[in-house]
């Protein structure tokens, strides 16, 4: 059943992403001030939202593990964090490419950029912690605590452009406080691409979660072999 769901989600994600790519590069015109480089926003922003969604799911799964000691929740937290972190770094990379063209620099120590980098490094530390602890219960407990403590950095990242006016552009999406400046047709494509990327990330998470479950089974067999 899980395999069929993975294949179905992967097919829907592939079709949606293909449709979105056509709209981005063929259906939409260049932006008046930025030219063609503005199209990077269709990957930059959805990657950030996917990262933040994954961070939220990881925190909730970590809380669930601490409350119920359910290792399946730990598997969800580990899998979604690993996948989310990939999209976090995609967000940073696409932002750097855009900044090089528009700002003339690869990086600026802007509040949002800085906290995004901090968030990614903290979740990278989460994954390193998991690999440094052999005992499953201790690994799950300490990882859950770190995931919960890391999530506030993601919230600060999201709110940074509201709390500090630095070099990073202000809100462009219409749902943000104060409204946005993005053309409705372009914003529609952005949200559809977020959906496609989120579906793709869900597929990766499900595959990675199965790998985490297999790893836990192997750990159990190894402990039984050592006890004999």
């Amino acid at each position: 059943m899980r395999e069929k769901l993975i294949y179905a989600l992967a097919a829907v994600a592939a079709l949606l992403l293909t449709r979105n790519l056509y709209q981005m590069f063929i259906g939409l015109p260049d932006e008046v001030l930025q030219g063609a480089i503005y199209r990077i926003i269709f990957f930059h922003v959805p990657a950030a939202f996917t990262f933040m969604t994954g961070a939220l799911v990881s925190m909730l799964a970590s809380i669930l593990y601490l409350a119920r000691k359910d290792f399946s929740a730990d598997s969800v937290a580990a899998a979604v964090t690993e996948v989310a972190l990939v999209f976090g770094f995609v967000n940073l990379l696409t932002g750097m490419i855009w900044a090089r063209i528009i700002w003339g620099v690869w990086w600026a120590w802007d509040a949002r950029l800085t906290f995004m980098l901090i968030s990614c490094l903290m979740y990278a530390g989460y994954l390193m912690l998991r690999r440094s602890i052999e005992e499953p219960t201790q690994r799950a407990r300490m990882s859950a605590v770190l995931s919960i403590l890391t999530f506030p950095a993601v919230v600060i990242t999201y709110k940074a452009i509201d709390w500090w006016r630095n070099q990073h552009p202000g809100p462009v999406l219409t749902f943000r406080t104060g409204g946005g400046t993005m053309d409705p047709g372009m914003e529609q494509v952005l949200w559809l691409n977020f959906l496609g990327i989120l579906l793709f990330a869900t597929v990766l998470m499900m595959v990675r979660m199965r790998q985490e479950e297999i790893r836990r089974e192997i750990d159990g067999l190894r402990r039984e072999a050592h006890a004999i």
Side-chain angles (χ1 to χ4, degrees):
M1 180 63 183
R2 180 185 294 187
E3 289 187 2
K4 292 181 179 179
L5 180 59
I6 289 175
Y7 289 137
L9 289 176
V12 173
L15 290 173
L16 186 56
L17 290 173
T18 301
R19 182 263 183 196
N20 292 339
L21 286 172
Y22 176 83
Q23 283 296 107
M24 283 178 229
F25 293 102
I26 305 298
L28 293 176
D30 289 351
E31 206 268 339
V32 175
L33 299 177
Q34 299 183 38
I37 191 62
Y38 91 96
R39 288 180 174 86
I40 208 165
I41 197 175
F42 297 120
F43 301 96
H44 178 70
V45 173
F49 285 164
T50 302
F51 167 76
M52 293 176 182
T53 301
L56 175 61
V57 172
S58 177
M59 182 196 67
L60 294 176
S62 297
I63 293 173
L64 184 62
Y65 170 78
L66 293 177
R68 299 185 179 181
K69 301 299 185 289
D70 184 353
F71 277 102
S72 62
D74 176 62
S75 295
V76 171
V80 76
T81 298
E82 193 166 312
V83 173
L85 184 60
V86 172
F87 288 96
F89 282 117
V90 168
N91 172 261
L92 286 174
L93 178 61
T94 53
M96 290 170 64
I97 295 172
W98 178 87
R100 181 65 182 86
I101 301 299
I102 302 300
W103 293 345
V105 295
W106 289 102
W107 183 265
W109 291 104
D110 174 271
R112 170 166 278 186
L113 302 183
T114 302
F115 275 104
M116 185 65 181
L117 177 60
I118 291 172
S119 299
C120 287
L121 292 178
M122 292 179 72
Y123 281 112
Y126 168 95
L127 297 178
M128 293 172 64
L129 176 68
R130 293 191 66 87
R131 283 157 178 74
S132 66
I133 302 175
E134 289 293 332
E135 205 284 313
T137 302
Q138 184 184 20
R139 178 175 65 222
R141 184 176 63 253
M142 295 186 68
S143 298
V145 172
L146 181 57
S147 178
I148 294 168
L149 294 177
T150 299
F151 186 72
V154 178
V155 177
I156 295 173
T157 302
Y158 177 76
K159 295 295 293 182
I161 58 175
D162 298 319
W163 293 343
W164 300 285
R165 291 308 309 134
N166 300 134
Q167 192 164 352
H168 196 283
V172 297
L173 302 179
T174 54
F175 80 94
R176 291 297 306 265
T177 303
T181 58
M182 196 171 192
D183 178 83
M186 294 177 179
E187 186 169 353
Q188 181 184 46
V189 174
L190 185 146
W191 285 116
L192 287 174
N193 209 45
F194 169 50
L195 177 60
I197 290 175
L198 188 62
L199 288 174
F200 177 60
T202 302
V203 171
L204 295 179
M205 187 272 291
M206 293 175 70
V207 172
R208 186 64 189 87
M209 188 171 69
R210 179 54 185 156
Q211 293 174 343
E212 192 67 24
E213 291 170 352
I214 293 173
R215 177 188 177 184
R216 193 169 64 247
E217 292 172 3
I218 293 174
D219 286 341
L221 293 173
R222 185 183 296 116
R223 288 197 304 275
E224 290 178 5
H226 288 166
I228 296 175

